[in-house]
Amino acid sequence: MATRILGAVGLIAWAALALPRASAWPIAGAAALLGALVVALALKPVTSRVPEALVAIPSRVFVTTCALVAAAISYVFVHATLHEAPLSIDASVYLMEARAIAHGSFGAPIPEPALAFGQRFLFEGADGRMYGVFPPGYPLFVALFVKLGVPMLAGPVTAGLLVLAQYALGRAVGIVSRASDDGELATRASLLLTLPSFARAIETADLLSHAFVAVLVTTALACALFYAARPSRALAAAIGACVGWTISARLLDGVVAAAVVVVTLAVVHARRSERALPIRPLALALAAALPFLALLAAEQRVATGSVFTPTQSEYFARSDYPPQCHRLGFGADIGCNVEHPDAVAKDGADGYRIDDALRVTRERASVLGEDLFGFAPIGLLAFLLLVRRPSGGDAACAAFVLALTIAYGLFYYGNAPAYGARHLFPAAPCLYLLVARALAVPPHRESGWLDGAHVRGAAIVAAITAIAIAQRPVWLLRQKRVVDFHASRSDLRRIVQRHSIDRGIVESRDPTAVTAAFDPLLDGRDRHIVLDDRSGNVELRRVHPELPLFLALDHDEIGRLYAPPPPPPGLFVELERAWPSFQRTNGLGARYFDFVGASGDAALFVAWSREGAMLTIPFDVSVAGHFALRVDGIAGPDHGDYAIAIDGEPLATWRGWAEKTEKRRGDAVTRDLAIGRHTFIARCIGRAPESTGWLAIFDTLVGEVPIVTAD
């Protein structure tokens, strides 16, 4: 009864979440499903043989073939569409972290001058190394492929593993459910349902953690159900390892998976009426999870200074506003104004509330239906199955789908244009399996024409056909987005190898490509891959005046080699390069800001400020000297006044007000600076009476060597 109630609740909840939006009901998808069903029913001589034909193939042959096809689809996407390079900034950060782990560390050393190597989603850790924003579980997996020299192969391998995990889950559900339908038929059908999905292709092709987490969670659920049927120490250890690894890769997904697994095992234990808890298996599962939990704690300790502070929390506290904008939950301070301004605007002045969570959850659930089936209503079959024929294994799968969907209601940011509802992708194997099991259920009553084999075969053929047809416009639209976004990207590692660049400074205008290539331990002192700051990377050239300059072009081409003269004596710090990796903020937010006319046409925009708010930026001096130091920036009608200091010693005060927006050169103060790390501090001390705000736009910190003339 409880399982049937779960099915009814899930059916109502999924219909309310996934189906109200008009986009969930594409006419092409409905027509494809209806037409395919009519044709499949009419072709009884063919479709009635489908169930027998599917299970007649040896299981190893069938599953291996599906895994190879899935891996091949992912590989073709990697090779033909992505050109063996990460698509998203997230994927490039995962690759950077994997490179660090392949060298035996969580972070990478930061060459000097540090500001030349700052990037989005990277930050200087408590130990002075560069860390990525993501936890280490997935980079640990990718590091193996980095070691082998084929990092992008991690995606196709994940695609193949996902097939194996889904098959194992199907077998486990069939064993636990002890249903009269052919569980093997449903499991094999579920594998065929996955193959047309664009979401599955891109999630496994680009180096993202969602598909890998799907492998871990699906395996954990399969082991839990196998354990329910026949307990063993090996299964207990596998459950613990998979859940622990999931937590170290995606914390929220891991917590949800752990909860579903624990509840599943608790229900089994209660039904067996055993008095004593299975202490040894629980201890074994915990022991298997501990290495991955320790991995997460160790990374957080060296990166943030505390085992309890996630890397994402540390990064967004420095790079965005409000400082805790990226946390889970509700409130006026939820939502990052720099990273996700459009999402924050949708939430309104009251911040992220329950009504916003319902809206975002509906958007995710609706898009997930498009991601997996092309026609979202097909997903309802997953919960109709529980209402019609409840079973414990199916209930565990449905519980994870619902729990993950609801849990991500705590996170304010929704879908990505090319990736869809990627946060919910770990639930995909469960949904595919439940839908396939619903298709494989024989009819309650059989007529002479509508016999069980006919109905099941027609349902499976119709679903696969409809999904393939409905996915076609999804492929066309999202593939075009990917191609347009990625067409001109270059693989900077491939560039330095192809052009035999062992020495030099390689500049690129693509931050994603630079992050993906970042590996100072591999490059050493004589080769540096950096973002083109559009003002010559002056301080980097001061540190390495002997190195030639290269400009990375589109399609793995390289610009002409040239050796400009070394910069003249002095100091020239592009302050916007501190964002986001190096700056520290207190009571304000600061970000990179395009401004035509500024040095490099960019500056550091300081907002959400008030009196007493402070910005701190470390910078390196490569050549000691006696400098006339000043700050150049932009003044405007809503700008404030800031006390400027270097290493605690005051410089001239920055007066930010102007009747209209204009470039401004600050007053200079002479100061001796030694070689090494120094600190720039700007503290808001008020504003002019005419000003309407406390904004600031800082462009450069300039140190000129005073010209000494003879009397």
Side-chain angles (χ1 to χ4, degrees):
M1 178 59 71
T3 303
R4 184 167 274 124
I5 291 174
L6 173 65
V9 170
L11 181 65
I12 295 171
W14 201 253
L17 291 174
L19 302 185
R21 302 176 75 205
S23 59
W25 298 85
I27 296 177
L33 180 60
L34 180 60
L37 184 59
V38 170
V39 173
L41 286 172
L43 296 176
K44 180 178 180 180
V46 177
T47 53
S48 61
R49 296 179 180 273
V50 167
E52 180 182 357
L54 276 180
V55 298
I57 305 171
S59 60
R60 289 186 180 181
V61 173
F62 185 88
V63 176
T64 301
T65 300
C66 288
L68 291 175
V69 170
I73 293 173
S74 179
Y75 178 77
V76 169
F77 202 99
V78 168
H79 183 73
T81 304
L82 301 186
H83 308 297
E84 311 272 347
L87 170 65
S88 63
I89 185 66
D90 304 58
S92 70
V93 173
Y94 277 123
L95 180 53
M96 173 265 168
E97 292 181 341
R99 293 189 191 279
I101 290 177
H103 290 303
S105 175
F106 292 115
I110 305 175
E112 294 181 0
L115 292 192
F117 300 92
Q119 286 289 334
R120 183 180 169 207
F121 288 169
L122 304 182
F123 68 96
E124 184 183 30
D127 62 353
R129 298 172 76 87
M130 187 72 84
Y131 291 90
V133 71
F134 300 117
Y138 180 56
L140 178 66
F141 173 73
V142 179
L144 170 64
F145 298 90
V146 171
K147 277 285 191 182
L148 296 174
V150 285
M152 294 301 292
L153 193 60
V157 170
T158 300
L161 292 176
L162 201 49
V163 169
L164 301 180
Q166 185 169 318
Y167 181 75
L169 180 60
R171 290 292 300 272
V173 169
I175 290 173
V176 171
S177 300
R178 298 177 183 176
S180 59
D181 68 288
D182 188 348
E184 182 71 12
L185 170 65
T187 302
R188 295 188 182 195
S190 76
L191 300 182
L192 297 179
L193 294 177
T194 69
L195 298 181
S197 171
F198 177 83
R200 187 182 179 91
I202 193 172
E203 289 286 355
T204 57
D206 202 16
L207 293 180
L208 298 174
S209 62
H210 307 89
F212 179 69
V213 166
V215 173
L216 294 175
V217 172
T218 304
T219 304
L221 287 174
C223 290
L225 295 176
F226 280 131
Y227 185 91
R230 189 173 181 178
S232 75
R233 292 182 179 180
L235 288 172
I239 293 169
C242 287
V243 171
W245 203 342
T246 302
I247 291 174
S248 73
R250 296 191 66 84
L251 181 59
L252 181 58
D253 301 53
V255 170
V256 172
V260 172
V261 167
V262 168
V263 169
T264 299
L265 295 177
V267 169
V268 172
H269 176 76
R271 288 181 176 177
R272 289 176 177 170
S273 301
E274 299 174 357
R275 293 184 179 181
L277 288 173
I279 300 299
R280 288 185 179 180
L282 287 175
L284 186 58
L286 180 59
L290 280 178
F292 298 101
L293 302 181
L295 178 79
L296 177 63
E299 187 214 32
Q300 292 181 173
R301 174 67 179 84
V302 295
T304 70
S306 170
V307 297
F308 302 109
T309 302
T311 50
Q312 289 193 2
S313 298
E314 180 71 15
Y315 170 81
F316 283 101
R318 301 182 188 186
S319 68
D320 219 310
Y321 196 84
Q324 302 303 318
C325 62
H326 203 257
R327 66 179 175 85
L328 300 174
F330 307 102
D333 61 340
I334 298 294
C336 297
N337 288 276
V338 176
E339 183 65 27
H340 301 129
D342 294 338
V344 172
K346 286 183 179 180
D347 295 339
D350 60 344
Y352 191 65
R353 302 292 180 182
I354 296 293
D355 59 330
D356 302 303
L358 289 173
R359 170 180 53 79
V360 172
T361 304
R362 289 192 194 101
E363 291 173 357
R364 284 202 192 98
S366 176
V367 173
L368 182 66
E370 177 185 287
D371 288 348
L372 304 187
F373 309 113
F375 185 60
I378 292 177
L380 288 179
L381 293 174
F383 303 98
L384 281 171
L385 171 69
L386 289 179
V387 174
R388 181 181 175 189
R389 190 210 54 202
S391 70
D394 295 324
C397 293
F400 179 72
V401 173
L402 292 174
L404 188 69
T405 302
I406 294 171
Y408 264 101
L410 298 172
F411 184 51
Y412 70 95
Y413 182 64
N415 306 310
Y419 298 92
R422 59 184 179 181
H423 299 115
L424 302 185
F425 187 80
C430 288
L431 268 173
Y432 278 128
L433 181 61
L434 290 172
V435 168
R437 288 177 62 79
L439 297 172
V441 174
H444 287 304
R445 296 181 181 180
E446 298 185 10
S447 66
W449 186 67
L450 288 174
D451 59 78
H454 178 202
V455 172
R456 285 185 289 176
I460 291 170
V461 170
I464 294 173
T465 304
I467 290 173
I469 294 174
Q471 280 286 330
R472 184 176 182 274
V474 178
W475 272 87
L476 292 175
L477 175 61
R478 297 194 190 177
Q479 178 88 347
K480 184 179 185 304
R481 289 173 177 170
V482 171
V483 170
D484 291 344
F485 180 75
H486 199 64
S488 61
R489 177 153 293 147
S490 295
D491 184 329
L492 300 180
R493 283 283 150 207
R494 195 160 55 221
I495 281 179
V496 298
Q497 292 174 5
R498 177 178 296 176
H499 297 278
S500 300
I501 302 174
D502 297 321
R503 296 179 68 257
I505 298 171
V506 181
E507 296 183 341
S508 172
R509 295 186 177 93
D510 184 355
T512 298
V514 171
T515 302
F518 186 70
D519 192 345
L521 285 174
L522 180 64
D523 290 325
R525 179 178 171 82
D526 291 334
R527 185 172 63 195
H528 299 280
I529 299 174
V530 296
L531 190 67
D532 180 6
D533 69 356
R534 296 181 293 192
S535 61
N537 277 303
V538 174
E539 289 303 311
L540 180 60
R541 286 166 46 215
R542 278 203 178 97
V543 176
H544 302 285
E546 77 287 357
L547 294 181
L549 284 175
F550 299 87
L551 180 62
L553 305 177
D554 296 346
H555 310 298
D556 291 354
E557 294 300 324
I558 197 75
R560 67 182 182 87
L561 167 67
Y562 65 102
L571 179 71
F572 192 81
V573 178
E574 292 280 5
L575 293 172
E576 71 274 5
R577 292 306 311 276
W579 182 87
S581 301
F582 299 100
Q583 70 181 23
R584 307 290 197 278
T585 60
N586 185 354
L588 51 77
R591 64 178 176 84
Y592 184 96
F593 179 65
D594 288 313
F595 190 91
V596 176
S599 173
D601 286 338
L604 187 68
F605 180 69
V606 179
W608 303 288
S609 187
R610 61 181 184 275
E611 287 192 57
M614 189 165 60
L615 170 70
T616 302
I617 295 174
F619 65 95
D620 296 312
V621 172
S622 57
V623 180
H626 182 69
F627 302 106
L629 293 173
R630 72 173 193 273
V631 175
D632 292 346
I634 313 299
D638 52 355
H639 290 213
D641 297 336
Y642 286 76
I644 307 298
I646 301 295
D647 300 332
E649 296 294 325
L651 293 184
T653 298
W654 174 259
R655 303 294 180 183
W657 181 82
E659 187 173 352
K660 60 181 181 179
T661 301
E662 63 183 26
K663 292 194 297 181
R664 176 165 294 176
R665 179 171 172 164
D667 297 330
V669 175
T670 57
R671 184 69 48 77
D672 291 325
L673 292 179
I675 295 175
R677 178 69 66 95
H678 296 268
T679 304
F680 169 91
I681 301 172
R683 181 173 57 87
C684 183
I685 57 175
R687 61 187 182 187
E690 303 89 345
S691 177
T692 59
W694 289 272
L695 300 180
I697 300 179
F698 298 124
D699 185 10
T700 55
L701 172 64
V702 180
E704 295 181 340
V705 177
I707 299 176
V708 179
T709 59
D711 293 336

